[in-house]
Amino acid sequence: MICSIIPPYMLKRLAAQDAPRFSAVRRAAKEALLHVKTVQAARTAPAPVTPPGLRQVQPAPPDRSVYDAKSAESLPGVLVRKEGEAPVGDPAADEAYDGLGHTHSLYADVFGRNSIDGQGMPLNATVHFGKLYDNAFWDGQQMVFGDGDGEIFERFTRSLSVIGHELAHGVTQFSAGLAYRNQAGAINESISDVFGALVEQYFRKQSTADASWLIGEDLFTSQVEGTALRSMKAPGTAYDDDVLGKDPQPDSMDAYVRTSADNGGVHINSGIPNRAFCLVAQAIGGNAWEAPGQIWYETLTGGSLPPTATFSVFAKATAASARELFGDGSAEHDAVREAWETVKVKH
Amino acid sequence: MKITVERSGGIAALTRTWTVQATTSSDKSHWQPIVEACPWDAVPDSRQVSDGQPDRFMYSIRAGQRRATLPERAVTGPWRVLVETTRAAAEQTPRNGTATGIRS
């Protein structure tokens, strides 16, 4: 068990240092604060979603396996590459292997998380799923990637943010357990976009200002008028195409979409919390996987987010996490509250 | 008889719709057994339908007066035959096969 000799108020001051020379101190203080919060939560929460002590586990190296479904739809398929083995020359298999590793790095290095479940879960992926399959998904235990149809979509392993998105569904499953319908489902989707974007930004070492904030860049073929599946910075602007239509994501509650399709529009209304996160990152500056990512990660894994959370409940939870980590009225706390105001979510 | 298959969801959240019109008696005799092979009465309330797997597709299927909403994993057997036959037929006739953004 990790114990901290530095009191929480001092950790908060250290965590709030924004000068570049304090970056290591800042990160260490934030991690220590997360441990403190975990211990506090374990003392007060009657039934934490995440078993106590997970954050005390030293993250283990990744344990990756990539399978080939060979255009069938049975999982996992034929094992083509295991941990530590050399590239096999199949772009889909090698991109999946690398993407799993980059995702593991974000959680281990930045959040101290031991794989997707916090307990060293092996990372498995299947590529070449189905025939011309236009999708990628997390099946509760592993990643699955289609090859795309070649007309609208390229293979889904091309986008690191998509790989990070899918594995974040696993993190959500093993932490807050958010429902996959209506606003809770849209939060579930948004969290996957947030951490998918962070995986990509952390790998590329891109600051908030440098990042594209696009999800699924490089997935569309050249025939499509669009840059990505979604834009976190400007929801609703990722594509506008004769065949696909216009990106339907709203950027505030004013344009909230009520629909029965897509489990109540989980991929549509996720634009609202997506933009809120991007606004927080822009207000704080620097690297989004630092303070903004810590706030969202703490909200997701802290044990207080209900599975049926609405946008308003989630907004309040992120503000509470920011206050807990950085102090009441801190720049981070203000950034979170202002972001939710901008997208018109009550908090 | 008008048959429509609408596929929503997926990580891309692009709703695609495939429609065929069975107007001639020959068309109807082709589509009728495919439609009637599906267990329309055994489909749960669409508000209760959930796949439990993030980013999987959802299918909304209509044939005449009959409607069903199914998660991707439930599109098997006669449902899969209906979906794939409709899609193939619609794609052979471009004006009947449309791909659109989400429609509320």
Side-chain angles (χ1 to χ4, degrees):
Chain A
M1 181 170 179
I2 292 176
C3 296
S4 175
I5 197 168
I6 305 173
Y9 70 87
M10 196 174 293
L11 288 173
K12 286 176 183 171
R13 283 184 62 87
L14 292 172
Q17 296 298 319
D18 54 5
R21 67 182 186 279
F22 293 133
S23 62
V25 172
R26 184 168 66 241
R27 178 181 298 182
K30 286 173 188 170
E31 288 178 1
L33 272 170
L34 283 174
H35 291 306
V36 170
K37 179 80 188 325
T38 305
V39 172
Q40 288 171 341
R43 284 175 183 154
T44 56
V49 176
T50 304
L54 284 187
R55 290 191 185 123
Q56 285 85 34
V57 176
Q58 181 71 24
D63 177 10
R64 292 166 284 184
S65 297
V66 179
Y67 299 83
D68 185 344
K70 296 187 179 294
S71 302
E73 294 190 9
S74 52
L75 296 172
V78 178
L79 180 64
V80 292
R81 188 174 175 192
K82 286 193 300 184
E83 185 62 46
E85 290 183 349
V88 293
D90 172 0
D94 291 330
E95 285 164 354
Y97 182 91
D98 291 343
L100 293 173
H102 299 322
T103 304
H104 183 278
S105 293
L106 174 81
Y107 289 108
D109 300 351
V110 177
F111 304 118
R113 186 177 185 86
N114 189 20
S115 191
I116 297 309
D117 63 348
Q119 300 186 75
M121 182 183 193
L123 299 175
N124 297 334
T126 294
V127 297
H128 304 307
F129 178 83
K131 293 186 177 75
L132 304 178
Y133 190 69
D134 271 346
N135 203 11
F137 63 91
W138 166 261
D139 82 341
Q141 297 179 318
Q142 68 157 99
M143 298 265 340
V144 183
F145 297 98
D147 289 329
D149 54 26
E151 293 182 2
I152 295 173
F153 290 110
E154 303 275 7
R155 64 180 182 275
F156 280 73
T157 51
R158 281 171 61 100
S159 169
L160 180 55
S161 60
V162 165
I163 296 174
H165 172 108
E166 295 305 334
L167 287 167
H169 279 307
V171 176
T172 297
Q173 173 187 324
F174 288 108
S175 54
L178 286 163
Y180 201 66
R181 189 158 195 87
N182 300 331
Q183 289 197 6
I187 297 165
N188 191 325
E189 270 302 311
S190 175
I191 282 170
S192 276
D193 279 352
V194 164
F195 288 95
L198 294 184
V199 166
E200 195 166 88
Q201 291 173 21
Y202 183 65
F203 169 66
R204 295 176 177 172
K205 296 294 176 273
Q206 287 178 326
S207 69
T208 290
D210 295 335
S212 71
W213 294 96
L214 295 172
I215 302 298
E217 218 174 349
D218 302 326
L219 282 193
F220 285 139
T221 65
S222 58
Q223 298 172 52
V224 176
E225 291 291 323
T227 53
L229 302 180
R230 291 182 279 281
S231 167
M232 296 180 68
K233 187 190 286 185
T237 66
Y239 58 87
D240 189 354
D241 180 82
D242 288 346
V243 174
L244 302 182
K246 188 178 181 306
D247 177 358
Q249 283 211 309
D251 66 356
S252 85
M253 288 302 286
D254 285 346
Y256 185 86
V257 176
R258 297 186 188 281
T259 175
S260 59
D262 184 33
N263 292 296
V266 298
H267 294 88
I268 310 303
N269 292 312
S270 55
I272 297 167
N274 275 1
R275 183 172 173 227
F277 180 81
C278 187
L279 288 167
V280 170
Q282 288 174 322
I284 294 173
N287 298 317
W289 60 82
E290 295 181 352
Q294 294 283 356
I295 293 166
W296 253 242
Y297 183 76
E298 174 61 15
T299 304
L300 177 66
T301 61
S304 61
L305 193 64
T308 54
T310 61
F311 283 179
S312 181
V313 166
F314 183 68
K316 287 172 185 162
T318 57
S321 295
R323 186 174 60 241
E324 184 76 26
L325 289 170
F326 300 103
D328 195 7
S330 62
E332 292 83 356
H333 186 212
D334 288 346
V336 171
R337 290 188 300 183
E338 285 165 15
W340 290 116
E341 274 181 31
T342 302
V343 299
K344 300 188 178 178
V345 171
K346 291 179 182 172
H347 57 90
Chain B
M1 178 170 57
K2 183 178 180 181
I3 302 166
T4 302
V5 172
E6 181 185 273
R7 190 188 73 185
S8 65
I11 187 174
L14 298 173
T15 296
R16 302 196 67 182
T17 306
W18 298 280
T19 301
V20 293
Q21 285 276 11
T23 49
T24 67
S25 58
S26 169
D27 285 345
K28 287 175 182 169
S29 62
H30 169 70
W31 286 100
Q32 199 96 21
I34 296 172
V35 169
E36 291 183 356
C38 297
W40 296 91
D41 295 334
V43 175
D45 184 332
S46 63
R47 289 167 299 185
Q48 310 297 321
V49 171
S50 177
D51 192 277
Q53 292 187 350
D55 292 324
R56 303 272 339 226
F57 294 125
M58 289 292 292
Y59 285 87
S60 178
I61 305 166
R62 281 171 286 169
Q65 298 299 311
R66 287 178 275 205
R67 291 166 181 252
T69 300
L70 298 168
E72 183 179 358
R73 281 191 297 170
V75 180
T76 58
W79 290 116
R80 180 129 188 180
V81 172
L82 175 57
V83 166
E84 293 196 345
T85 309
T86 302
R87 179 176 179 171
E91 288 179 344
Q92 281 180 347
T93 312
R95 279 189 301 173
N96 287 338
T98 58
T100 65
I102 194 76
R103 297 182 311 173
S104 52

